């Protein structure tokens, strides 16, 4: 009984705290988050990651269907949201950046909400959100589908926290709907998050002292059903629609087979070894861009398991003693589970970007744990201190990137007449209007303008690699900014996919059928310790290009080849 009374007092304070946050307060929070991200944004276009979403959205805008008309491993959500923005506001890459800033601002608000609920400390919660801001703003890869998926997962966590604090089954239904929408962007992340929140929800119901064991089990099952059914209410209709219009093989190949069987072989990256970790512990000496093994920023990939392990040192004794209100205990458990399960997604391609979905909940977990610093002692305090130092070193390195970008943006503002000024970027040549307010490399811009001058808007091109038996990636953004469609459904070059004979035969057939007048090739010098660095021995596409196309112009390393033989159909 005393525990219930104490819990009530804590809940009252939490509820009052949320009531003080008016709609205006949250609007200001979102606006500040948006503006701060904007001032540290890198305005240089990312040819592959950014082009992947932008050009996929253009193909959707033109009536094409993902998986059937163009190959991709990602869910349809990113393409359709961007396509909607293009239809409403024009086909400009800038709208992808705006959506990126918007979803990340919501993520920051969700982080603050969760942290304040679990700590009851305003400035500590703001500090936690600030650390998350550093990672969301510095990692880059704009329009990467992980960002909206992570936002929706955090929204689901907020809704479940409301459920555990205030009751009301509708919050669980809303959370399930949020996870269902997240699955449209990244189905793997949404599934991990659904499992995590389901386990936490069942745990919460089973610990309810107000009901008998049988009733607790019934309530746990009902809660589980709410989450799963609500998520399925979003996912199942979309899957049915896709199966109606997309061949099942294409859907299976893009969403399941390649991510599960091919991706781990050709994209895997190792965790930093002890020697590399120690080498990166001096953040002032290792501030390269992008982060690489041995740099301080790269050590963030070890942070999620460290945060979970170190936070458990204080959480387990507190759980046994029942020192926290039940809704806070369940909230901490949800953070543990989200961090641990989302970490599994990052263990294949180990890099700060691909570990982002686990790093964010890990930061929230550690921030909420450190708020209890004065209440823990001994091993628990040492464990939390170790985690905090680890994170601080990584944050110093990551914030250095933001500082450098801010300096570059200030120079753009001050040098109003320069070629790289914002005034120049926002008034590009007629052929580069899609890049308004963003920066393309000089050589790429020249190559794009050349292709536009020598082709008609309905002509199709192919943007490939110097060799297709071994490849890493290609410049997908070239399609978007040149406003020329890909002559093949395989516009996203991926090792283990377009390096195979069956796919190359399909690509050759597409180039013939769509009369690809130009092939654009650019070398990719990235070498990684995985299958992308191994030749498949398949040179069908390379031989076809050599036999039918001849170099016409070069812009730096970008080579433009023109068709010299007649098409067969």
């Amino acid at each position: 009984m005393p525990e219930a009374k104490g819990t009530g007092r804590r809940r009252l304070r939490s509820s009052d705290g949320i009531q003080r946050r008016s709609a205006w307060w949250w609007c200001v929070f979102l606006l500040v988050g948006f503006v701060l991200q904007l001032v540290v944004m890198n305005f240089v276009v990312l040819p592959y990651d950014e082009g992947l979403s932008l050009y996929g959205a253009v193909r959707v805008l033109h009536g094409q269907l993902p998986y059937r008309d163009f190959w991709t491993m990602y869910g349809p959500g990113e393409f359709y949201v961007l396509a909607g923005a293009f239809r409403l506001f024009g086909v400009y890459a800038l709208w992808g950046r705006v959506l990126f800033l918007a979803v990340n601002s919501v993520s920051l608000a969700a982080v603050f909400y969760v942290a304040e609920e679990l700590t009851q400390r305003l400035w500590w919660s703001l500090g936690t959100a600030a650390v998350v801001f550093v990672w969301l703003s510095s990692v880059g890869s704009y329009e990467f589908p992980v960002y909206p998926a992570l936002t929706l997962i955090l929204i689901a966590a907020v809704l479940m926290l409301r459920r555990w604090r205030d009751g009301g089954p509708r919050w669980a239904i809303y959370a399930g709907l949020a996870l269902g929408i997240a699955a449209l962007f990244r189905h793997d992340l949404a599934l991990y998050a659904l499992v995590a929140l389901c386990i936490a929800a069942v745990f919460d119901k089973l610990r309810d002292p107000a009901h008998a064991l049988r009733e607790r089990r019934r309530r746990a099952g009902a809660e589980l059903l709410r989450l799963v059914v609500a998520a399925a209410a979003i996912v199942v209709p979309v899957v049915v629609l896709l199966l109606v219009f997309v061949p099942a093989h294409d859907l299976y190949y893009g969403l399941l087979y390649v991510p599960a069987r091919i991706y781990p072989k050709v994209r895997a990256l190792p965790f930093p070894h002890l020697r590399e970790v120690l080498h990166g512990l001096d953040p002032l000496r290792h501030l390269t861009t992008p982060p690489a093994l041995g740099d301080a920023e790269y050590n963030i990939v070890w942070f999620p398991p460290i945060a979970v392990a170190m936070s458990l040192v204080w959480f387990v004794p507190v759980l046994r003693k029942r020192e926290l209100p039940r809704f806070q205990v369940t909230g901490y458990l949800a953070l543990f589970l989200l961090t641990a399960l989302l970490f599994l997604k990052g263990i294949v391609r180990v890099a700060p970007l691909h570990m982002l979905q686990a790093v964010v909940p890990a930061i929230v977990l550690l921030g909420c744990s450190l708020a209890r610093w004065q209440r823990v002692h001994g091993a628990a305090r040492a464990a939390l201190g170790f985690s905090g130092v680890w994170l601080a070193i990584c944050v110093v390195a990551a914030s250095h990137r933001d500082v450098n970008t801010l300096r570059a943006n200030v120079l753009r503002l001050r040098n109003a007449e320069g070629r790289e000024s914002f005034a120049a970027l926002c008034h590009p040549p007629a052929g580069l209007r899609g890049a308004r307010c963003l920066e393309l490399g000089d050589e790429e811009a020249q190559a794009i303008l050349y292709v536009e001058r020598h082709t008609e808007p309905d002509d199709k091109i192919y943007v490939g690699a110097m060799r297709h038996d071994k490849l890493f990636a290609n410049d997908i953004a070239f399609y978007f900014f040149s406003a020329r469609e890909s002559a093949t459904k395989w516009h996203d070059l991926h090792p283990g996919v377009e390096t195979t004979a069956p796919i190359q035969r399909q690509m050759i057939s597409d180039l013939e059928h769509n009369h690809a007048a130009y092939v654009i090739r650019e070398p990719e010098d990235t070498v990684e310790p995985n299958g992308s660095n191994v030749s498949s021995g398949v040179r069908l596409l390379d031989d076809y290009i050599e036999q039918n196309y001849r170099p016409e112009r070069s812009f730096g390393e970008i080579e433009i080849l023109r068709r010299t033989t007649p098409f067969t159909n």
Side-chain angles (χ1 to χ4, degrees):
M1 187 65 65
E3 178 188 325
K5 184 177 180 181
T7 300
R9 287 197 300 269
R10 290 174 186 266
R11 288 191 178 185
L12 179 61
R13 288 197 296 270
S14 176
S15 180
D16 289 345
I18 295 304
Q19 289 176 4
R20 287 197 299 269
R21 309 290 173 227
S22 66
W24 283 109
W25 193 94
W26 287 110
C27 288
V28 171
F29 187 99
L30 292 170
L31 180 61
V32 170
F34 189 97
V35 172
L36 288 178
Q37 290 180 90
L38 179 63
V39 299
V40 297
M41 173 176 281
N42 182 355
F43 287 85
V44 177
V45 172
L46 305 174
Y48 180 77
D49 286 331
E50 194 162 10
L52 192 70
S53 296
L54 292 173
Y55 184 57
V58 166
R59 298 193 77 158
V60 166
L61 183 66
H62 292 165
Q64 300 184 33
L65 285 176
Y67 321 112
R68 185 192 70 183
D69 300 316
F70 64 93
W71 173 78
T72 181
M73 289 190 298
Y74 295 131
E78 183 84 5
F79 306 126
Y80 280 89
V81 170
L82 278 174
F86 293 159
R87 184 174 295 277
L88 291 174
F89 307 111
V91 184
Y92 301 104
L94 183 63
W95 298 123
R97 299 294 185 97
V98 171
L99 290 172
F100 169 85
L101 297 178
V103 298
N104 281 355
S105 298
V106 176
S107 288
L108 293 174
V111 164
F112 171 81
Y113 182 99
V114 172
E116 189 176 38
E117 281 291 285
L118 297 183
T119 66
Q120 304 298 302
R121 298 172 67 175
L122 171 63
W123 292 106
W124 200 269
S125 303
L126 288 173
T128 301
V131 176
V132 171
F133 161 81
V134 171
W135 284 104
L136 292 178
S137 63
S138 65
V139 171
S141 288
Y142 307 105
E143 285 96 70
F144 194 42
V146 165
Y147 291 104
L150 177 60
T151 299
L152 289 159
I153 289 170
L154 292 172
I155 289 174
V158 167
L159 294 169
M160 288 306 295
L161 200 55
R162 289 291 300 271
R163 165 65 167 152
W164 297 324
R165 189 197 69 194
D166 298 331
R170 69 184 186 280
W171 298 113
I173 296 174
Y174 298 155
L177 293 173
L179 292 177
I181 300 172
L184 304 184
F185 294 88
R186 289 297 297 260
H187 53 287
D188 48 356
L189 300 187
L191 179 60
Y192 287 134
L194 178 62
V195 172
L197 294 181
C198 282
I199 294 174
V202 169
F203 173 85
D204 180 74
K205 291 300 180 184
L206 292 178
R207 291 185 75 247
D208 188 354
H211 300 93
L213 179 59
R214 178 177 293 183
E215 178 63 15
R216 279 182 269 168
R217 290 175 177 173
R218 187 194 69 79
R219 288 171 173 262
E223 193 79 341
L224 192 66
L225 198 61
R226 290 187 190 98
L227 282 166
V228 173
V229 170
I234 299 293
V235 175
V236 171
V238 174
V239 172
V240 171
L241 283 174
L242 287 173
L243 287 173
V244 169
F245 295 103
V246 178
H249 173 269
D250 291 351
L251 201 61
Y252 167 75
Y253 185 78
L255 287 178
L256 298 175
Y257 181 79
V258 173
R261 300 294 298 274
I262 296 178
Y263 186 88
K265 297 177 182 178
V266 299
R267 292 299 196 196
L269 291 174
F271 278 92
H273 297 302
L274 179 61
R275 182 177 180 180
E276 293 160 338
V277 169
L278 294 176
H279 188 254
L281 289 181
D282 180 0
L284 300 179
R285 289 192 297 119
H286 309 288
L287 298 172
T288 61
T289 300
L293 284 171
D295 294 332
E297 187 178 351
Y298 208 94
N299 286 340
I300 197 68
V301 299
W302 280 116
F303 175 68
I306 289 174
V308 170
M310 299 298 101
S311 296
L312 280 174
V313 175
W314 74 264
F315 181 73
V316 172
V318 168
L319 181 63
R320 291 174 179 172
K321 297 177 182 178
R322 298 180 178 267
E323 295 180 358
L324 290 176
R326 201 177 91 210
F327 86 95
Q328 289 189 346
V329 170
T330 310
Y332 275 108
L333 177 63
L335 286 177
F336 283 117
L337 293 170
L338 284 171
T339 302
L341 292 177
L342 293 175
F343 174 74
L344 296 177
K345 174 60 185 72
I347 62 177
V348 174
R349 187 164 179 79
V350 181
L353 171 64
H354 297 276
M355 199 62 76
L356 181 69
Q357 70 280 347
V359 169
V360 170
I363 291 173
V364 181
L365 174 61
L366 180 62
C368 295
S369 299
L370 286 172
R372 299 183 58 83
W373 175 265
Q374 295 178 344
R375 301 181 184 181
V376 298
H377 304 281
R381 178 169 290 191
L384 292 179
F386 174 79
S387 302
V389 170
W390 190 289
L391 178 61
I393 292 175
C394 296
V395 167
V396 169
S399 61
H400 181 83
R401 186 195 300 249
D402 281 345
V403 170
N404 285 343
T405 308
L406 177 61
R407 289 173 179 169
N409 291 340
V410 170
L411 288 176
R412 292 182 191 273
L413 286 173
R414 294 176 61 184
N415 186 17
E417 303 299 327
R419 292 176 55 192
E420 297 181 355
S421 68
F422 284 117
L425 291 182
C426 292
H427 297 85
L432 298 175
R433 288 177 180 173
R436 180 173 294 174
C437 297
L438 297 177
E439 180 183 346
L440 290 170
D442 288 340
E443 295 171 354
E444 182 172 19
Q446 293 173 25
I448 289 171
L449 292 173
Y450 181 87
V451 169
E452 287 183 343
R453 288 194 299 268
H454 290 80
T455 58
E456 297 297 326
D458 292 336
D459 289 341
K460 296 184 179 182
I461 64 174
Y462 172 63
V463 181
M466 284 297 182
R467 53 187 294 187
H468 293 83
D469 62 313
K470 184 179 73 171
L471 53 81
F472 181 76
N474 64 319
D475 184 359
I476 306 177
F478 197 102
Y479 291 114
F480 178 86
F481 293 110
S482 66
R484 299 295 183 268
E485 284 199 19
S486 169
T488 174
K489 69 178 287 184
W490 308 94
H491 68 254
D492 172 12
L493 297 189
H494 194 280
V497 178
E498 286 87 358
T499 56
T500 63
I503 302 300
Q504 289 195 15
R505 291 193 187 97
Q506 292 182 36
M507 296 174 72
I508 292 172
S509 176
D510 289 344
L511 295 180
E512 285 285 333
H513 176 74
N514 292 310
H515 293 189
Y518 281 95
V519 169
I520 295 90
R521 300 194 301 192
E522 187 174 356
E524 174 55 71
D525 299 327
T526 303
V527 177
E528 292 185 343
N530 50 42
S532 67
N533 195 34
V534 179
S535 171
S536 67
V538 178
R539 294 192 52 84
L540 297 175
L541 183 57
D542 290 325
D543 292 342
Y544 171 83
I545 292 174
E546 293 299 328
Q547 293 167 8
N548 295 281
Y549 293 84
R550 292 291 179 269
E552 184 172 272
R553 281 293 302 271
S554 293
F555 298 91
E557 293 186 321
I558 301 176
E559 187 178 54
I560 299 177
L561 296 87
R562 184 180 180 87
R563 181 84 180 200
T564 57
T565 61
F567 293 99
T568 58
N569 54 17

